[in-house]
Amino acid sequence: MVFGSRLSNSFGGGTSAPGGPPPERPAWFSSDRDYEAFLKTTKMDLGPQSITSTSIDVDHLDENGRRTLLGGYALQSTLEFVSRMFAQLDDAALNSRTNAWEKTLVSMLTGEFSSKVIESVSKGNVLLPPAAVTQLIREAIEWCSITDAATTGTGNTIPIFGIDDFVLLMLSINGDQERQDLPDFFRTWPPTQDDLERYNAAMAVDDDMVRDEAQRQMLSDLARMQANATTVPDVLLGDAYDTWFKKWPELAPHDLIGDTAIEAFEQATGVSLTEFIKLGLQLWTRTKTGAVTLNAIDFAQWADSQAVTLMKTAASLTVQEYRKRLKAERKKGLLAHRRYTFAERPLIRFGDDEYVALRPVWVLDRLCGSQLYWQTFFAFGTEKDPRGEQFSLASNYVFEDTIGYLLRRATRRARPTIKLITEREMQQAWKQRGDKPSVCDWVLASGKYCLLVDATNHWLDEKAAQGFADAEDYTADLEDTFVRRKFLQLRSTIELLAQHGWEGRTFDEQTVFVPMVVVPNGGIPPNVLSDVDLKLRSHSVLGELGRFVTSPGILTYSELQVFEGVCEHRGPQLFVEILARWRLMCTGGMPVRPQTFLDISGVDRPVNGQVEVPAGGQVKVPTPC
């Protein structure tokens, strides 16, 4: 069997290649019907195909070819073009209009390959995966000419970067990123039909090869999903409010870092968090539609000077500084999903006063979103400094408190259908001789379903998130964090509920236990192969309880918010049941991502009404509560 890669394989003619499952049913599927269902859900999970030079039969530019082409263009104007495309792409993605926007874009092509690109986009294929646009930004910074004038010193005109070369470069980068996922089994790209048949034949009989390929593809998919994820500004700002504009949770230690997260940021950086976020909102507002060039003289008139200084020193790099850092990254190999440098430094500086926002949502996240944590953590000196260690621990409590608040909201809407039981209540009820039992953070009981939830503020490792992780390191982290800790807590909770019940409610052989771990948006994203991996690893812990226990699910906070939004508007009493149905589908057959499950179920995605967002580009600092 061939596992999915990138956005899907981009070969024409019905050929099965790395990137999609084989068209014929493998022997390990019990029936054609089961395999047809698997093909359907796999296609939905993989999404549309990416368009490559190979897929539409145009000349492919390898790395040297792209270096030569980009070397003939001026850096600043080229970055302005590419970043403007990125801003418009993100805006289209927010409104589920990516394909319509790409159709409009390619209609402006004039090159000889234009008809092939237009035809492929019209079929729903994707020209601009965010990871590939990110790589083009990287290559432009590395290889474009630093000369910004219309002419060189010799009077030779520097051409203006345009749509035809932009698309040609994207086709080639898409192809190179797809090739990065090529199994070692293949010696050429694209593989021949004979190669494909030998590969599928080998996978049918070699279990070790299947496991190795699944592990390799899983790590690639995790990085791809994070790199291609759509940032939703309202959700990002709502999360910032929940994280920074409230008092620390009761159990969070904070004697070294101040009474609120705002105080911690200001203590660490010397800058007002409110002013820094105001600056970020204004920069995003000015660039989000594609006007990506900024002049410091303009915003210095209304922005806080300390916030501007921090932005300049911590969120931007000069061209030479950028080139130095990217050169070091290139030496480490595999670039397709590397984006941390861009997330940390989303502004490139030309001279003292002019900036280009490489991707406006990166600017928003850097100054208003998740990057604020890292700014504070590193400014405190990381865990090597007692303040950094305390800030990290307090932030873990903030994450747990945020998940608890969501679950309480969902429960209140569904009264009396759902019963919420907290960790503290369970430990108080079941402690023996002063010893508190090991239990999960929350239990939500509804009818025959018992949802067990534990929250862990555990991010996907930097290497795994960027596509160059070692499989052994990833496995060790997964086993330590989830299998030997979280899953054991979930198991203990199931056993105690079965033994003691709760307030007259019994948990017997008819009860469906649904264990789930919620992670941050930077944690392990819901993915088919990672779900299979967890199912196998959890069996020794959760699979022999003599109870009806679904395979455990890992859900990011943003995905949990989607489920909350669905139930808030379409049926509050279904919150536990709809999560249970997703896990039952994943347990009984091949797992599917939450979004695929909702698509199959015919469910829309109404916005969570609890997201609190600063309005009008202004941050109103609430009284900490």
Side-chain angles (χ1 to χ4, degrees), residues 524-563:
I524 298 175
N527 167 270
V528 173
L529 292 176
S530 63
D531 204 316
V532 171
D533 188 48
L534 281 171
K535 184 189 297 188
L536 296 174
R537 295 182 188 280
S538 67
H539 183 73
S540 61
V541 179
L542 297 169
E544 300 175 355
L545 288 172
R547 303 280 171 182
F548 192 161
V549 183
T550 68
S551 62
I554 294 182
L555 200 62
T556 61
Y557 176 49
S558 61
E559 296 279 9
L560 184 62
Q561 288 175 301
V562 171
F563 279 103

Side-chain angles (χ1 to χ4, degrees), residues 63-122:
E63 190 174 287
N64 288 330
R66 296 198 298 274
R67 181 187 290 111
T68 300
L69 178 60
L70 287 167
Y73 290 110
L75 173 59
Q76 183 170 346
S77 59
T78 301
L79 279 180
E80 288 171 345
F81 182 96
V82 177
S83 296
R84 182 168 67 252
M85 294 297 102
F86 221 159
Q88 294 175 5
L89 172 66
D90 285 333
D91 184 66
L94 279 176
N95 297 289
S96 301
R97 297 189 69 254
T98 301
N99 184 249
W101 177 79
E102 287 196 348
K103 287 179 180 178
T104 301
L105 178 70
V106 300
S107 69
M108 296 182 284
L109 288 170
T110 60
E112 59 184 21
F113 56 86
S114 60
S115 60
K116 294 180 179 180
V117 176
I118 291 171
E119 180 183 2
S120 189
V121 170
S122 70

Side-chain angles (χ1 to χ4, degrees), residues 239-257:
D239 292 347
Y241 177 89
D242 286 339
T243 302
W244 295 95
F245 292 95
K246 297 181 180 180
K247 285 185 178 180
W248 294 116
E250 180 183 347
L251 297 178
H254 58 269
D255 58 295
L256 302 177
I257 57 176

